Amino acid sequence: MPLQPLMMSDQSDDDDGDLSVALKTRPKTKRPPLYKVLLLNDDYTPMEFVVHVLERFFGMSHAQAFEIMLTVHKKGVAVVGVFSHEIAETKVGQVMDFARRHQHPLQCTMEKED
């Protein structure tokens, strides 16, 4: 038996022809917390090495890296980036591994952003 197209007049009486769509509401998702990656000063790691690390792992220009390196040197610590937990963790690991391979005591840490 061939199918007949459903016409508006064929609809049951309890449907008033309203073709609105039911929308599902999604719960508001919270943004994941961000983490600051910090570089700590020490008395042994050469300034040039710190500049190289900032350029290589944080994509900074030479001028930006130099400014951050001076901040680390003068203040003892500087925020070098703010990332999701996984990226911050990776960056810290990369910097620490790179410093160890080059026999520098450079310290890189992360902390939750306020």
Side-chain angles (χ1 to χ4, degrees):
M1 172 157 128
L3 294 173
Q4 296 293 320
L6 181 65
M7 300 298 209
M8 290 298 274
S9 60
D10 292 341
Q11 291 181 348
S12 64
D13 289 338
D14 59 333
D15 186 359
D16 63 0
D18 184 11
L19 300 176
S20 63
V21 177
L23 298 176
K24 289 184 181 179
T25 57
R26 289 190 207 162
K28 278 266 191 205
T29 52
K30 273 175 62 174
R31 285 186 169 270
L34 294 176
Y35 290 79
K36 297 184 283 193
V37 175
L38 307 164
L39 218 50
L40 308 177
N41 190 40
D42 65 74
D43 293 332
Y44 304 100
T45 305
M47 292 179 176
E48 298 80 24
F49 184 80
V50 175
V51 169
H52 179 69
V53 163
L54 293 168
E55 291 171 342
R56 179 173 179 162
F57 297 106
F58 298 93
M60 294 182 186
S61 69
H62 186 75
Q64 289 172 312
F66 192 82
E67 285 297 315
I68 296 288
M69 177 276 297
L70 286 179
T71 301
V72 172
H73 182 68
K74 291 176 184 172
K75 295 188 175 179
V77 65
V79 175
V80 296
V82 179
F83 308 96
S84 69
H85 185 271
E86 293 77 15
I87 293 174
E89 204 170 47
T90 300
K91 298 259 185 209
V92 168
Q94 288 173 328
V95 170
M96 295 295 286
D97 289 347
F98 191 70
R100 295 301 153 271
R101 276 186 308 204
H102 290 84
Q103 300 176 344
H104 294 300
L106 182 65
Q107 293 292 305
C108 186
T109 62
M110 61 188 261
E111 66 181 41
K112 197 170 186 179
E113 193 176 46
D114 300 330

